[in-house]
């Protein structure tokens, strides 16, 4: 099953099981009909985005954005991050661009915030797949939950990481955690968590 088919499976699941996900009814609220009308990003837009941020987007991310350039208010990525359930909305390329004007637009290490992180806390957060930053210009947010938690593409991975892997910035208490190697892996994980793995 290709990525688009997996997303369509998720769309159906979310509409049928929104209560279990603690979401408003996306059909009744009109979020799903608005989502259905959203188009995919054209190739020129994808190339312009890559040129502006000097990155090469993973092929599966490009496939996702060719299908839908964002999800509006429809929470298309109901992921479990650590022990927390978060229903992420996919940001459009334009929203991603705007977000970089104020978020993840500087390089700041965890050690730059001694009032917020003790050496012991930093050591506990250590992950060889992630560089020990709180903010990094090469982290690009692409999905958001409650305007405070963000899924991000990582183009500055740690020694054991992979360019284009997915991280999550979690606010209050602030931390950055590894999520998945790719958007394909994340979506497969979401399908598995919701009992749809046999078709993933």
């Amino acid at each position: 099953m290709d990525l688009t088919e997996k997303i369509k499976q998720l769309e159906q699941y979310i509409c049928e099981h929104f209560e279990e996900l603690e979401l408003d009814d996306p059909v009744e609220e009109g979020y799903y009909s608005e989502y259905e009308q959203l188009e995919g990003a054209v190739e020129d837009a994808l190339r312009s985005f890559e040129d502006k941020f000097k990155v090469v987007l993973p092929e599966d991310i490009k496939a996702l954005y060719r299908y839908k350039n964002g999800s509006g208010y429809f929470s298309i990525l109901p992921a479990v991050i650590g022990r927390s359930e978060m229903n992420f909305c996919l940001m459009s390329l334009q929203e991603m661009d705007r977000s970089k004007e104020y978020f993840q637009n500087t390089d700041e290490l965890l050690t730059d915030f001694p009032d917020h992180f003790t050496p012991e806390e930093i050591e506990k957060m250590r992950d060889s797949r992630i560089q020990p930053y709180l903010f990094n210009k090469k982290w690009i947010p692409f999905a958001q939950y409650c305007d405070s938690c963000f899924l991000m593409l990582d183009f500055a991975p740690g020694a054991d990481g992979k360019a284009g892997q997915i991280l999550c910035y979690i606010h209050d208490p602030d931390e950055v955690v590894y999520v998945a190697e790719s958007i394909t892996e994340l979506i497969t994980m979401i399908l598995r968590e919701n009992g749809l793995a046999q078709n993933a």
Side-chain angles (χ1 to χ4, degrees), residues 49 57-58 60-61 64-65 68-71 76-77 88-93 95-97 99-100 103-104 139-145 149-155 164-168 179-180 182-184 186-187 190:
F49 187 90
L57 294 170
D60 54 357
I61 281 285
L64 172 61
Y65 275 86
K68 291 288 183 183
N69 184 19
S71 70
I76 190 61
L77 297 171
F88 290 93
C89 294
L90 187 68
M91 300 162 68
S92 67
L93 292 178
E95 289 170 326
M96 292 162 67
D97 188 348
S99 76
K100 290 293 284 181
F103 180 61
Q104 298 300 347
W139 292 348
I140 300 181
F142 71 93
Q144 63 86 17
Y145 168 69
C149 298
F150 295 85
L151 293 177
M152 308 182 296
L153 296 170
D154 177 9
F155 292 101
Q165 66 189 6
I166 296 173
L167 311 180
C168 185
V179 175
S182 65
I183 191 67
T184 297
L186 174 59
I187 290 170
I190 294 171

Side-chain angles (χ1 to χ4, degrees), residues 11 17 39 67 80 83 104 114 138 140 144 155 163 189:
E11 293 168 0
H17 298 270
E39 298 181 350
Y67 173 58
V80 177
R83 297 180 180 178
Q104 298 300 347
K138 288 293 186 179
I140 300 181
Q144 63 86 17
F155 292 101
M189 287 165 53

Side-chain angles (χ1 to χ4, degrees), residues 3-20:
L3 187 67
T4 301
E5 289 305 310
K6 290 183 178 183
I7 289 289
K8 290 180 178 178
Q9 214 181 353
L10 262 182
E11 293 168 0
Q12 181 178 350
Y13 180 84
I14 292 163
C15 287
E16 293 176 354
H17 298 270
F18 62 90
E19 289 181 333
E20 296 167 34

Side-chain angles (χ1 to χ4, degrees), residues 98-150:
R98 287 196 298 273
S99 76
K100 290 293 284 181
E101 295 175 7
Y102 60 87
F103 180 61
Q104 298 300 347
N105 60 349
T106 61
D107 292 330
E108 297 183 73
L109 291 160
L110 293 168
T111 51
D112 293 333
F113 300 90
D115 292 340
H116 290 84
F117 304 105
T118 66
E120 292 77 18
E121 287 171 328
I122 292 174
E123 182 60 32
K124 188 177 179 181
M125 285 189 277
R126 186 181 297 276
D127 186 328
S128 61
R129 297 168 294 187
I130 308 173
Q131 291 202 52
Y133 285 81
L134 185 62
F135 303 107
N136 192 303
K137 292 177 183 176
K138 288 293 186 179
W139 292 348
I140 300 181
F142 71 93
Q144 63 86 17
Y145 168 69
C146 292
D147 292 322
S148 60
C149 298
F150 295 85

